[in-house]
Amino acid sequence: MNEALLRSLTPSVLAILVRRGADFAAAEDAVQEALVEAVRVWPADPPRDAKGWLVTTAWRKFLDATRADTARRRREDLVDEAPAPGPAPAVDDTLQLYFLCAHPSLTPSSAVALTLRAVGGLTTRQIAQAYLVPEATMAQRISRAKRTVSGVRFDQPGDVATVLRVLYLVFNEGYSGDIDLAAEAIRLTRQLAAAIDHPEVAGLLALMLLHHARRAARTAPDGSLVPLAEQDRGQWDTASIAEGVGILQAALARDRLGEFQAQAAIAALHADAPTAEETDWVQIVEWYDELARLTDSPVVRLNRAVAVGEADGPRAGLAALAALDDSLPRHTAVAAYLHERDGDLATAARLYSEAARKAPNLAERDHLTRQAARLNARGRD
């Protein structure tokens, strides 16, 4: 089996399917399935035209998936159109699907990726960005997960930790504004909290509520991002904040700290401050220390550098940032902010421009571009 040949042909086969009318995500799935078929068939029966074989197989896989999806949608439409025979309780099995996709035969990371793709509705690119890996790597991971569970009976639901990770990532995608999944993630987490007495489930629900409470203030009327320090706190949903804080306090009282509770504690400190200037940054740094101990996550340490810069001054923040890999997403944006706080406007403007080029979405890119333009204008005055 010539794996190098398969890798070299994959982009052109994908491009052909897209030109034929397949959307990118569906074409990507079809090509991945064709590659799996090639690995199975070619050693015993190699094709004379490898590329033609892959195109034909991938297109057939795409058509099969499209027909299946059309049939499924038609069945759903028929159900919606049919009159109800009488009172019946509403059944929502979405949360159960999350548990079933988190199958014990999969590693936690593969289970999360598969669930996000199959049930959460996220694209491979969005999942890759959430995991901080290249899109091609995530496509391979999802394809391997599909192969692993093909033919497996889904009668062994996965664990709570994996389902929580999926719900958290779905919420983050909805909260970023790319697709509106935040409310659905909150709804499912409420269901989970009602069914399972688990402090981390409560911690995740509290975290979602506290973040979602600020959503109305996160963007200006023109769609541009509004940084936390500049948000109109009068737009924050105080009822959601109060609910989130109450849930968090009950969870922390059980003395079984987990990462979602620690994140919720940080969010609660931000929500509790009447103004940005009154934020308890010292305590936030302490919670980031706890979170770093629990997760050893480079993203946590990046956020901690910002908090250190607020609590102990920008140079302390830059010192904390210097210990981190500068290829981390948003590392350059954090460096720009800390240099601006330190008075080095020329360096900050340059870094804001560089960060804008690396931004994962249009809203963030525009925000960073405006920051660079603002500092460049001040430098000319």
Side-chain angles (χ1 to χ4, degrees):
M1 168 56 59
N2 192 333
E3 294 183 1
L5 174 62
L6 287 176
R7 287 196 298 270
S8 67
L9 291 174
T10 297
S12 60
V13 174
L14 180 59
I16 290 171
L17 263 64
V18 171
R19 285 199 300 271
R20 287 185 177 183
D23 69 85
F24 185 84
E28 183 184 50
D29 285 346
V31 171
Q32 289 295 324
E33 291 186 21
L35 293 175
V36 172
E37 187 75 4
V39 170
R40 187 180 67 83
V41 172
W42 285 11
D45 185 19
R48 287 190 296 271
D49 178 3
K51 182 177 179 180
W53 188 98
L54 283 172
V55 169
T56 300
T57 303
W59 185 247
R60 187 176 68 248
K61 297 286 187 183
F62 166 73
L63 292 177
D64 289 344
T66 301
R67 292 189 188 103
D69 186 62
T70 300
R72 177 186 59 78
R73 291 178 184 275
R74 179 55 184 159
R75 289 195 300 271
E76 292 173 350
D77 290 342
L78 289 173
V79 170
D80 291 339
E81 293 165 4
V91 176
D92 181 359
D93 58 1
T94 306
L95 189 58
Q96 182 64 18
L97 288 175
Y98 273 66
F99 271 96
L100 292 177
C101 282
H103 196 272
S105 63
L106 297 173
T107 64
S109 61
S110 294
V112 171
L114 178 62
T115 313
L116 289 171
R117 187 74 180 89
V119 186
L122 275 64
T123 66
T124 302
R125 176 171 297 179
Q126 288 169 320
I127 302 169
Q129 289 174 346
Y131 269 95
L132 309 181
V133 299
E135 184 177 355
T137 300
M138 183 52 64
Q140 293 172 357
R141 184 178 300 176
I142 294 172
S143 180
R144 285 196 300 269
K146 289 178 180 177
R147 291 201 304 271
T148 299
V149 299
S150 61
V152 173
R153 289 184 60 190
F154 280 82
D155 55 1
Q156 302 176 62
D159 66 355
V160 174
T162 301
V163 174
L164 290 180
R165 179 64 52 194
V166 175
L167 289 168
Y168 178 57
L169 291 174
V170 171
F171 174 81
N172 280 342
E173 285 298 335
Y175 190 62
S176 72
D178 293 332
I179 48 179
D180 189 7
L181 290 172
E184 173 68 359
I186 292 173
R187 184 184 70 84
L188 292 173
T189 307
R190 282 191 188 279
Q191 286 187 6
L192 189 58
I196 299 177
D197 183 17
H198 192 298
E200 272 294 83
V201 177
L204 178 58
L205 179 56
L207 176 63
M208 289 179 175
L209 290 169
L210 289 164
H211 278 314
H212 205 59
R214 301 200 302 260
R215 189 169 190 178
R218 291 184 74 246
T219 54
D222 63 359
S224 60
L225 290 179
V226 180
L228 176 61
E230 301 172 18
Q231 289 177 15
D232 176 3
R233 299 185 179 219
Q235 293 186 49
W236 290 2
D237 184 347
T238 55
S240 291
I241 291 172
E243 183 186 5
V245 169
I247 292 171
L248 173 63
Q249 288 174 338
L252 292 175
R254 301 177 64 176
D255 199 23
R256 289 170 53 195
L257 184 64
E259 62 174 294
F260 292 122
Q261 295 168 73
Q263 288 190 59
I266 293 169
L269 286 167
H270 283 297
D272 189 53
T275 65
E277 293 73 24
E278 296 173 86
T279 303
D280 189 347
W281 286 105
V282 172
Q283 194 174 168
I284 287 176
V285 171
E286 293 173 355
W287 276 111
Y288 270 122
D289 288 337
E290 289 286 349
L291 191 54
R293 179 182 61 81
L294 289 166
T295 66
D296 195 29
S297 164
V299 175
V300 169
R301 298 187 185 281
L302 182 68
N303 291 332
R304 179 185 178 276
V306 177
V308 168
E310 299 289 351
D312 301 326
R315 293 195 179 182
L318 286 167
L321 188 65
L324 303 176
D325 186 345
D326 61 7
S327 67
L328 275 173
R330 298 186 172 88
H331 183 286
T332 307
V334 170
Y337 174 74
L338 291 171
H339 276 290
E340 180 183 356
R341 287 281 317 283
D342 195 39
D344 187 351
L345 303 188
T347 299
R350 176 178 58 79
L351 290 172
Y352 275 131
S353 295
E354 182 181 339
R357 292 192 293 271
K358 301 176 182 177
N361 56 65
L362 181 61
E364 190 169 333
R365 187 189 72 188
D366 290 347
H367 169 71
L368 292 167
T369 300
R370 282 193 295 271
Q371 296 295 87
R374 173 178 57 82
L375 294 185
N376 284 327
R378 284 178 58 183
R380 290 191 295 268
D381 290 344

